[in-house]
Amino acid sequence: MSSFSLWSAAAVALTIGLGSTAYLWSYRRHRTEVATGIAGLAKMRWREFARLIVEALRDRGFEAESVEESLARGTQAELRLLRAGKPWLLSCKLGDGDYKVPAATVAELADAVRFHGAAGGLLVTTGRFDTNSERVADGLDLYSGETLWELVEPQLPASTRHEIIAAAQKRSIQTIVAAWGAAIALALIVGFLVPQLLPDEAPTPTPAAAGTDAPAAGDGDDAPPAPTPPAADTPQPAPVAPPAPPAPQQPATPVPSASTGDADADRAEVIRSAARLPGTERALWSTASNLLIYRLTEAQKQDVDAICQLLERYPELRSSRVQLQPPPNSNSRVRFFQCKAY
């Protein structure tokens, strides 16, 4: 028996190497681009960052009443915006990847929106929101990470975007090379272990000599008497049929899942699918568990059902909160619901 299994080693190396390459290049690379871009935004001055956000919001129907006057009040002040003739408040928070916006800051902006009678508020940060921020963000749109990058990327110069993409690709290639190295190392270990774990071949048994244990033809005295056949007229018992096996139970048909196993890829697919629903202007994730949908028409029951049917296909996202933003010039309030109890 060989001491190394080439086929086992090759199978392990290809499975792990190709799987890692597909994941790192198709999904992780985009997350690396987002992280690289957000890190670049975090190095900006607050005024530059606030101007960039205001310019990005123009494409979404917002106009600043007075950018310079708002900026002059400092980094803790809210910028006043107009959308469809209604006032909005904007708050920008700069910080690195470890910076976390506390729920108290989110609640303060929500209170300011109610105090000034604004239609809503927007809180944008290069950091993260803490776990309680979503709970107190009534009437607010929260932008960080993926949603922030989606907002500002179109406003960046082409050269800046190319630099970020190139840096993300370089880091992804380095990670892929490391993944292949680990796959080859594991494949070598498996190649040496598999032959040792396989059982040795059992020796072929030698057939016994014919007639060794068979009784001699003339040993009729020691042979047991042959059974007496039953008489022809003796009634024979009817054969009993074996009991039929129980019918297998049919399992309930599960809801087909569209999950890829990668939460970011699933969220991106939910955004694309939700944006194609009738009456929807666009969709985005304001937080990891809050799906924000801008409506062109008032949402009816069939629209809510369609959204829930979409989320039901992703087990990790089906309990997310949905925030329906009413259409422009609508007097309806922002609507929040969860599909499991809407």
Side-chain angles (χ1 to χ4, degrees):
M1 180 175 57
S2 173
S3 61
F4 184 79
S5 176
L6 178 61
W7 290 109
S8 299
V12 170
L14 290 176
T15 301
I16 298 178
L18 293 177
S20 301
T21 300
Y23 170 75
L24 293 171
W25 190 257
S26 300
Y27 301 114
R28 190 73 183 183
R29 178 168 57 94
H30 176 69
R31 297 181 60 183
T32 304
E33 290 179 8
V34 173
T36 304
I38 296 298
L41 295 177
K43 297 178 181 179
M44 299 175 65
R45 295 181 178 179
W46 185 86
R47 287 173 176 263
E48 296 173 345
F49 179 66
R51 287 193 184 94
L52 176 63
I53 298 301
V54 170
E55 289 300 321
L57 289 172
R58 291 184 190 275
D59 294 338
R60 302 191 178 185
F62 290 93
E63 292 289 341
E65 289 184 328
S66 176
V67 177
E68 295 302 328
E69 180 180 348
S70 299
L71 294 176
R73 293 197 298 270
T75 61
Q76 301 302 320
E78 296 86 16
L79 283 72
R80 294 181 176 87
L81 307 176
L82 290 175
R83 187 187 191 194
K86 297 179 180 180
W88 286 66
L89 297 182
L90 167 65
S91 179
C92 300
K93 303 296 181 182
L94 273 177
D96 57 18
D98 296 329
Y99 171 68
K100 187 178 293 185
V101 178
T105 300
V106 180
E108 288 177 3
L109 181 59
D111 292 339
V113 168
R114 289 188 289 269
F115 178 79
H116 292 285
L122 305 99
L123 204 161
V124 182
T125 181
T126 54
R128 297 175 296 163
F129 294 99
D130 71 10
T131 55
N132 296 321
S133 295
E134 182 182 344
R135 181 173 54 83
V136 298
D138 188 16
L140 300 182
D141 294 346
L142 305 180
Y143 290 84
S144 66
E146 180 81 27
T147 55
L148 172 59
W149 185 246
E150 179 184 342
L151 175 68
V152 303
E153 183 184 11
Q155 302 298 323
L156 298 176
S159 59
T160 302
R161 292 200 301 270
H162 292 161
E163 289 178 0
I164 293 173
I165 293 174
Q169 290 179 345
K170 181 178 179 180
R171 291 180 58 185
S172 297
I173 291 174
Q174 292 173 345
T175 307
I176 289 172
V177 171
W180 272 101
I184 293 173
L186 182 59
L188 293 174
I189 295 174
V190 171
F192 282 109
L193 286 179
V194 166
Q196 301 178 21
L197 297 177
L198 292 177
D200 295 333
E201 296 181 358
T204 303
T206 303
T212 301
D213 296 329
D219 295 341
D221 295 339
D222 297 332
T228 304
D233 57 351
T234 303
Q236 300 297 319
V240 179
Q249 296 183 353
Q250 297 296 331
T253 303
V255 177
S257 174
S259 176
T260 63
D262 183 80
D264 291 330
D266 291 347
R267 290 191 181 93
E269 182 59 32
V270 168
I271 289 176
R272 287 191 289 268
S273 300
R276 293 194 292 265
L277 294 177
T280 299
E281 176 185 0
R282 62 188 177 87
L284 57 92
W285 289 93
S286 58
T287 68
S289 58
N290 190 82
L291 177 59
L292 174 59
I293 299 179
Y294 288 88
R295 297 284 305 173
L296 294 172
T297 60
E298 297 289 348
Q300 305 298 326
K301 184 179 184 301
Q302 60 269 24
D303 300 316
V304 176
D305 291 341
I307 296 171
C308 290
Q309 291 173 3
L310 170 61
L311 289 175
E312 187 68 17
R313 300 173 60 203
Y314 299 88
E316 299 298 329
L317 303 177
R318 64 179 54 159
S319 62
S320 300
R321 187 176 74 163
V322 180
Q323 177 180 344
L324 290 181
Q325 201 71 22
N329 301 324
S330 171
N331 294 325
S332 300
R333 296 177 60 86
V334 178
R335 181 178 177 183
F336 296 88
F337 67 88
Q338 283 182 293
C339 291
K340 61 182 180 181
Y342 71 89

